[in-house]
């Protein structure tokens, strides 16, 4: 129920900002934003001061670390299974929210269309 409420709030903010949507991209980014909120901040290590390169520990296995590069750009990449398929993943979103200080709605506005 909480995830449905979050989706509704993101969609309302999105419409209020006047954006036209690419529904597939919006859905992928919205799902990634919701999933990123479950990742503890302590699982992320920013490897440079800009936050463009980071490591994110897997929530299932702390020994597995995913590399995020170009965070905050449309060319952002992650070494997780979703990222290897060139989809926006929760690890990229988590790094963006931590390093750039963006909210979930701002990430959707920037990357979801």
């Amino acid at each position: 129920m909480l995830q449905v409420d979050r989706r509704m709030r993101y969609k309302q903010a999105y419409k209020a900002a006047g954006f036209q949507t690419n529904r597939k991209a919006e859905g992928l980014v919205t799902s990634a934003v919701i999933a990123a909120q479950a990742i503890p901040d302590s699982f992320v290590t920013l490897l440079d001061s800009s936050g463009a390169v980071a490591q994110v520990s897997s929530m299932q296995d702390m020994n597995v670390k995913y590399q995020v590069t170009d965070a905050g750009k449309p060319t952002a990449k992650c070494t997780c299974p979703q990222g290897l398929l060139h989809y926006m993943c929760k690890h990229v979103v988590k790094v963006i929210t931590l390093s750039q200080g963006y909210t979930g709605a701002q990430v959707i506005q920037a990357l979801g269309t």
Side-chain angles (χ1 to χ4, degrees), residues 67-86:
Q67 186 88 13
V68 175
T69 55
D70 291 332
K73 297 180 183 176
T75 58
K77 292 179 179 56
C78 182
T79 58
C80 75
Q82 280 286 96
L84 293 175
L85 293 172
H86 305 287

Side-chain angles (χ1 to χ4, degrees), residues 7-53:
R7 280 187 196 271
M8 292 302 294
R9 282 187 282 144
Y10 287 130
K11 287 192 179 284
Q12 289 169 350
Y14 202 79
K15 287 180 182 178
F19 286 92
Q20 293 187 6
T21 61
N22 172 330
R23 297 286 183 212
K24 182 177 180 182
E26 179 187 349
L28 291 172
V29 174
T30 301
S31 295
V33 167
I34 291 168
Q37 292 174 344
I39 300 173
D41 292 353
S42 61
F43 281 39
V44 179
T45 304
L46 301 177
L47 300 177
D48 72 357
S49 60
S50 69
V53 180

